[in-house]
């Protein structure tokens, strides 16, 4: 085991020497399938934890940007929208296509994850990226298999259940396994037909933004997935108590988890 771990880290060190030229193409807020600057004009640093050097500047969202993102998600969830009128099987094909694009960009995603998170690039390549891809492929198969049932009842009645998407889902994810968390959050929500406003951790945002480019390339309609980088006190708070967000999905530490819970009551 010690030999194997040593080998992984030795390979990772060699690979990291080649990552200085890894391009960070996407640094803006992603709303309605468009890249936008923050309304405030503010940016914040993305730091490589292994060197403590700046990777890039990212657009810093706030409550105003969340309002725009939620409006886009709500429009995409409108009953007459392309997303709501889309066949469930087509939602599954879009998720499958997204997984294919992740396979294509596997090396780049692993390098971005390592650079932003600090984990060995081989761990990201061999574990994090495949787990994320498998999650999205798994849920792509569920898209057209979520259905209700006919319920036998007494009397001359016809009773049935029908499962419907909830609506606009606010999602807040942590720093430790960014891509895995991104996949765990978006895949089931999209398979069920919801729309999303997601806040990645301010410490590990880069891979989530690259995923946005793949979501657009895969063919998801505008407004279905929106990602607003920023801090918990601004973006996270705005998502948690926004009156047009129908559900909040949060993963994080116990002390931090009390904040979105409290904000959702306001």
């Amino acid at each position: 085991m010690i030999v194997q771990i040593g080998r992984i880290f030795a390979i990772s060190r060699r690979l990291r020497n080649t990552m200085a030229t890894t391009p960070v193409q996407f640094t803006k807020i992603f709303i309605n399938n468009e890249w936008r600057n923050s309304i405030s004009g503010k940016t914040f640093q993305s730091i490589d934890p292994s060197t403590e050097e700046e990777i890039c500047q990212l657009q810093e969202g706030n409550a105003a940007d969340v309002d725009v993102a939620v409006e886009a998600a709500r429009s995409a969830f409108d009953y007459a929208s392309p997303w709501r009128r889309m066949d469930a099987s087509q939602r599954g094909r879009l998720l499958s296509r997204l997984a294919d694009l992740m396979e294509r960009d596997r090396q780049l995603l692993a390098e971005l994850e390592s650079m932003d998170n600090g984990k060995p690039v081989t761990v990201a390549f061999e574990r994090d990226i495949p787990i994320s891809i498998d999650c999205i492929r798994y849920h792509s198969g569920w898209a057209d298999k979520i259905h209700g049932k006919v319920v036998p009842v007494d009397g001359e009645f016809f009773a049935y259940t029908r499962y419907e998407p909830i609506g606009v889902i606010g999602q807040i994810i942590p720093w430790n396994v960014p891509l895995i968390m991104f996949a765990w959050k978006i895949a089931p929500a999209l398979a069920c037909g919801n729309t999303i406003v997601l806040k990645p951790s301010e410490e590990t945002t880069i891979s989530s933004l690259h995923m946005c480019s793949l979501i657009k390339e895969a063919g998801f309609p505008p407004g279905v997935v929106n990602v607003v980088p920023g801090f918990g006190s601004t973006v996270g708070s705005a998502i948690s108590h926004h009156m047009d967000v129908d559900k909040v999905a949060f993963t994080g530490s116990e002390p931090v988890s009390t904040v979105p819970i409290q904000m959702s009551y306001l």
Side-chain angles (χ1 to χ4, degrees):
M1 178 61 73
I2 293 174
V3 173
Q4 179 66 16
I5 292 173
R7 177 176 173 271
I8 289 174
F9 277 85
I11 294 172
S12 294
R13 280 195 297 271
R14 290 197 298 270
L15 287 172
R16 284 192 67 85
N17 291 334
T18 70
M19 285 167 49
T21 57
T22 299
V24 178
Q25 297 175 269
F26 307 105
T27 61
K28 296 185 177 183
I29 296 169
F30 185 76
I31 298 175
N32 223 27
N33 278 7
E34 298 175 345
W35 298 102
R36 307 185 180 202
N37 292 326
S38 60
I39 292 173
S40 68
K42 291 182 178 180
T43 62
F44 67 101
Q45 285 183 316
S46 176
I47 302 294
D48 184 335
S50 70
T51 63
E52 297 186 347
E53 295 178 354
E54 179 183 302
I55 300 170
C56 62
Q57 288 283 327
L58 300 168
Q59 293 294 314
E60 180 182 337
N62 61 19
D65 298 291
V66 171
D67 285 342
V68 178
V70 172
E71 182 180 355
R74 179 57 62 191
S75 294
F77 190 71
D78 183 83
Y79 190 72
S81 72
W83 181 244
R84 289 297 301 278
R85 306 305 295 173
M86 183 181 293
D87 291 340
S89 60
Q90 177 61 17
R91 291 203 306 269
R93 282 192 286 271
L94 289 179
L95 283 166
S96 182
R97 194 175 304 159
L98 176 59
D100 290 341
L101 294 173
M102 292 174 70
E103 292 273 14
R104 183 198 69 188
D105 286 4
R106 181 175 172 180
Q107 181 63 42
L108 175 57
L109 285 168
E111 291 178 5
L112 293 175
E113 196 82 332
S114 176
M115 186 166 56
D116 203 20
N117 175 271
K119 68 178 61 188
V121 65
T122 47
V123 173
F125 185 85
E126 297 292 345
R127 189 194 70 167
D128 292 35
I129 312 304
I131 289 173
S132 303
I133 293 169
D134 287 348
C135 173
I136 289 173
R137 286 205 191 283
Y138 172 81
H139 286 93
S140 72
W142 269 108
D144 60 355
K145 299 172 185 65
I146 303 168
H147 52 76
K149 59 185 179 181
V150 175
V151 183
V153 295
D154 294 343
E156 296 183 1
F157 302 99
F158 179 77
Y160 67 96
T161 62
R162 172 183 167 90
Y163 291 114
E164 296 184 341
I166 294 172
V168 178
I169 311 298
Q171 302 182 334
I172 302 170
I173 60 175
W175 62 270
N176 51 339
V177 281
L179 268 175
I180 292 175
M181 286 293 174
F182 188 93
W184 284 354
K185 287 289 186 287
I186 70 161
L190 294 177
C192 293
N194 297 288
T195 59
I196 294 168
V197 177
L198 183 143
K199 175 204 169 301
S201 169
E202 62 273 15
E203 296 177 345
T204 51
T205 300
I206 292 174
S207 59
S208 293
L209 293 179
H210 189 85
M211 285 296 297
C212 292
S213 73
L214 301 186
I215 286 167
K216 180 177 180 178
E217 184 179 351
F220 285 86
V224 172
V225 178
N226 308 275
V227 174
V228 183
F231 295 88
S233 59
T234 50
V235 176
S237 172
I239 289 174
S240 298
H241 75 263
H242 201 291
M243 296 305 294
D244 215 15
V245 170
D246 299 300
K247 180 182 176 67
V248 175
F250 170 85
T251 302
S253 66
E254 184 178 348
V256 177
S257 68
T258 61
V259 177
I261 292 172
Q262 292 169 352
M263 295 304 298
S264 65
Y265 282 97
L266 298 179

